[in-house]
């Protein structure tokens, strides 16, 4: 890869969204439950997911994705230097000298997201073992201020496409992921199950203490720059099959109610104003209900949940929102002493979202206030142990604000 560095940008296209069934209906259909779409709320098209900022910036040329290696060219050295700085900032556990040595090693290859010139906001450093059929991902990071823009997923998609194009016979990736990165790599198609024979990779990649080895195997027929379009086609095929076997897509005319005027009679004479009453409808006359297979015997008398059940449901909902937030990765599980040897000397009452989830499920919180106190302790502990301005400190502030907004909406 000598001479001028060329971008390997792909393109995003608008995906047509199915205009009949929403995600909730698909979930119910998948479990064998017939869905009645007569309700107007279920016949509207599901909301179109907004295009991620990373895809917009790529299309507009704000960012570009560049392959780079140490070929001694000035442009390459500038990008590699910026990559080294990014990795050193985002991977503080790794020795700075070790990062610098590998990034500038001529055996290593890199893929960088460059913004408005040579400002590096994300990158992968990897080593290809083409004769062994796999590559090791050594470093992977995106700038903390840009982590919610979707740079990570975009970079991984382009990395897979780049490897398929550059090394057609290399279909496997291996990497050691720390505890905070396991979830991300799993979303990108990596698994803790290593199917690649150990004799192929053992001795070729560095074994990191405290890391979890993960593997990703690419599919030959998949274009990783067009996965959204591929999923959209698969979704449409599933919906077409559902329509052949179900009437869930049929929309019936709305109900028409008969209104009757009634007056009150006292002492043989009519007094008072006439009162309008809606004539009840027999459930069997509801359009589409009988066709769905419903019968009166299926009526379930609902019991009102207790205040305790409602409070537990609220805790689960809040915790799910916190765990799903992009900045909560450091709070999902207990702090590993390998990463922070003195953590439990400083923090005497440790808590994390994983521990809170167990406490919710086992009814250890007497009320919502106790749950919120534990959540606040997560953020306070983080700010107590980590330096002000660090990525951990900033993420604690972000997720804390999310919780406060959720609780505020809950109580208003």
């Amino acid at each position: 890869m000598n001479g001028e560095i060329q971008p390997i940008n792909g393109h995003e296209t608008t995906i047509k969204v199915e205009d009949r069934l929403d995600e909730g209906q698909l979930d119910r259909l998948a479990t064998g439950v017939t869905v009645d779409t007569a309700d107007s709320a279920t016949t509207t098209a599901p909301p179109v997911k907004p295009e991620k900022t990373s895809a917009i910036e790529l299309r507009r040329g704000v960012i570009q994705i560049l392959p780079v290696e140490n070929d001694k060219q000035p442009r390459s050295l500038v990008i590699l230097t910026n990559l080294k700085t990014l990795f050193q900032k985002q991977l503080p556990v790794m020795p700075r000298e070790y990062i610098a040595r590998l990034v500038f090693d001529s055996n290593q290859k890199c893929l960088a997201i460059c913004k408005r010139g040579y400002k590096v906001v994300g990158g992968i450093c990897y080593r290809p073992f083409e004769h062994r059929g796999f590559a090791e991902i050594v470093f992977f990071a995106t700038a903390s201020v840009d982590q919610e823009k979707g740079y990570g997923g975009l970079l991984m998609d382009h990395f897979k496409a780049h490897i398929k194009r550059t090394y057609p016979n290399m279909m496997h990736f291996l990497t050691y992921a720390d505890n905070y990165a396991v979830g991300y790599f799993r979303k990108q198609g990596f698994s803790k199950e290593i199917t690649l024979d150990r004799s192929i990779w053992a001795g070729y990649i560095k074994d990191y203490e405290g890391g979890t080895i993960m593997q990703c195997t690419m599919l030959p027929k998949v274009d990783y720059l067009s996965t959204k379009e591929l999923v959209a086609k698969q979704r449409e095929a599933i919906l077409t099959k559902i329509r052949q076997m179900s009437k869930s897509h049929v929309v019936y005319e709305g109900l028409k109610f008969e209104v009757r005027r009634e007056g009150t009679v006292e002492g043989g004479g009519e007094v008072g104003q006439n009162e309008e009453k809606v004539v009840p409808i027999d459930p069997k006359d509801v359009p589409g209900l009988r066709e769905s297979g419903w019968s009166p015997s299926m009526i379930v008398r609902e019991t009102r949940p207790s205040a305790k059940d409602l409070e537990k449901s609220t805790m689960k909902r809040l915790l799910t929102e916190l765990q799903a937030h992009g900045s909560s990765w450091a709070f999902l599980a207990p702090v590993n002493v390998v990463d922070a040897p003195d953590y439990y000397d400083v923090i005497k009452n440790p808590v994390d979202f994983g521990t809170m989830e167990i406490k919710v499920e086992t009814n250890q919180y007497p009320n919502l206030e106790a749950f919120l106190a534990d959540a606040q302790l997560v953020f306070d502990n983080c700010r107590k142990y980590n330096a002000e301005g660090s990525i951990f400190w900033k993420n604690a502030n972000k997720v804390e604000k999310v919780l406060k907004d959720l609780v505020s909406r809950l109580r208003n």
Side-chain angles (χ1 to χ4, degrees):
M1 187 177 63
N2 297 319
E4 187 88 11
I5 298 176
Q6 298 296 327
I8 58 170
N9 297 345
H11 57 85
E12 298 279 338
T13 59
T14 303
I15 299 173
K16 181 180 179 182
V17 180
E18 216 310 307
D19 61 355
R20 288 298 182 192
L21 301 181
D22 59 24
E23 296 295 337
Q25 289 175 296
L26 284 175
D27 289 342
R28 294 195 294 277
L29 281 171
T31 60
V33 180
T34 306
V35 179
D36 179 8
T37 58
D39 192 308
S40 60
T42 64
T43 58
T44 56
V48 178
K49 290 184 179 180
E51 190 177 20
K52 288 188 176 181
T53 304
S54 57
I56 296 173
E57 291 184 353
L58 182 65
R59 190 179 65 251
R60 294 178 177 175
V62 177
I63 62 174
Q64 54 182 337
I65 301 176
L66 303 173
V68 59
E69 61 179 299
N70 190 356
D71 55 7
K72 311 301 181 184
Q73 298 297 316
R75 181 181 297 184
S76 300
L77 294 175
V78 169
I79 296 175
L80 289 174
T81 300
N82 290 336
L83 264 176
K84 170 194 66 90
T85 303
L86 173 70
F87 292 145
Q88 288 175 341
K89 182 177 181 181
Q90 297 302 130
L91 306 172
V93 178
M94 287 286 181
R96 299 170 66 87
E97 298 79 7
Y98 176 71
I99 291 176
R101 177 161 56 84
L102 289 189
V103 169
F104 287 102
D105 187 339
S106 59
N107 292 316
Q108 311 290 332
K109 315 290 182 182
C110 298
L111 208 61
I113 302 180
C114 295
K115 192 170 188 176
R116 295 190 176 93
Y118 300 128
K119 178 184 178 183
V120 174
V121 294
I124 291 180
C125 178
Y126 67 98
R127 181 168 182 175
F129 295 96
E130 189 173 8
H131 64 295
R132 311 294 292 179
F134 79 96
E136 177 193 11
I137 296 178
V138 183
F139 304 125
F140 180 99
T142 58
S144 57
V145 294
D146 296 313
Q147 284 179 352
E148 296 179 7
K149 292 183 178 181
Y151 284 170
L154 180 75
L155 181 59
M156 186 61 74
D157 287 342
H158 280 267
F159 174 66
K160 292 175 181 177
H162 173 63
I163 292 297
K164 287 187 70 174
R165 180 168 49 250
T166 310
Y167 308 98
N169 298 319
M170 200 166 66
M171 303 298 291
H172 307 280
F173 306 136
L174 290 173
T175 189
Y176 271 92
D178 63 32
N179 293 331
Y180 302 131
V182 168
Y184 165 78
F185 280 109
R186 185 179 289 117
K187 289 180 181 178
Q188 301 304 321
F190 285 72
S191 170
K192 294 181 181 180
E193 182 181 356
I194 310 301
T195 60
L196 197 61
D197 193 283
R198 183 176 177 83
S199 63
I200 295 177
W201 56 269
Y204 286 84
I205 66 176
K206 182 175 175 58
D207 187 0
Y208 295 94
E209 290 186 7
T212 300
I213 189 168
M214 302 187 75
Q215 175 187 323
C216 175
T217 298
M218 293 191 292
L219 301 174
K221 295 183 179 180
V222 173
D223 178 0
Y224 288 94
L225 296 182
S226 303
T227 52
K228 291 183 176 62
E229 292 87 337
L230 176 62
V231 171
K233 291 179 180 179
Q234 292 175 332
R235 174 187 171 92
E236 182 59 36
I238 293 172
L239 292 174
T240 300
K241 191 65 177 178
I242 288 174
R243 295 189 193 102
Q244 295 173 0
M245 305 174 66
S246 166
K247 295 182 180 180
S248 61
H249 60 287
V250 177
V251 180
Y252 294 90
E253 187 178 351
L255 297 174
K256 294 180 180 179
F257 294 92
E258 179 185 349
V259 179
R260 185 168 57 207
R261 289 181 176 274
E262 295 181 353
T264 59
V265 179
E266 184 177 309
E270 186 174 324
V271 297
Q273 297 293 326
N274 287 339
E275 182 180 353
E276 291 187 348
K277 289 189 176 181
V278 177
V279 179
I281 293 179
D282 190 324
K284 295 190 295 296
D285 296 331
V286 176
L289 193 58
R290 183 175 299 172
E291 290 83 349
S292 72
W294 179 87
S295 67
S297 63
M298 298 170 64
I299 297 177
V300 178
R301 304 297 179 185
E302 294 186 358
T303 57
R304 296 187 62 181
S306 65
K308 189 74 174 176
D309 290 336
L310 290 174
E311 209 163 34
K312 182 175 181 179
S313 177
T314 299
M315 295 179 200
K316 286 183 176 181
R317 190 166 65 251
L318 290 174
L319 192 56
T320 298
E321 292 283 348
L322 295 178
Q323 290 171 320
H325 193 273
S327 298
S328 68
W329 46 269
F331 316 125
L332 299 179
V335 173
N336 191 328
V337 292
V338 174
D339 301 326
D342 63 338
Y343 182 83
Y344 294 100
D345 295 330
V346 178
I347 303 301
K348 301 303 181 183
N349 296 304
V351 66
D352 59 90
F353 293 159
T355 301
M356 290 177 64
E357 184 175 1
I358 294 173
K359 293 177 71 172
V360 170
E361 292 296 338
T362 54
N363 301 313
Q364 295 185 46
Y365 290 117
N367 50 48
L368 181 60
E369 297 306 319
F371 170 87
L372 294 176
D374 253 7
Q376 187 62 49
L377 188 57
V378 172
F379 311 130
D380 292 343
N381 285 346
C382 179
R383 286 188 288 259
K384 181 178 179 180
Y385 182 79
N386 296 285
E388 182 175 351
S390 66
I391 180 62
F392 302 101
W393 192 88
K394 291 178 181 178
N395 284 351
N397 290 344
K398 288 181 184 178
V399 185
E400 180 184 39
K401 183 179 184 305
V402 169
L403 177 60
K404 288 181 178 180
D405 291 344
L406 289 171
V407 174
S408 177
R409 289 199 298 268
L410 185 67
R411 291 175 171 171
N412 290 336

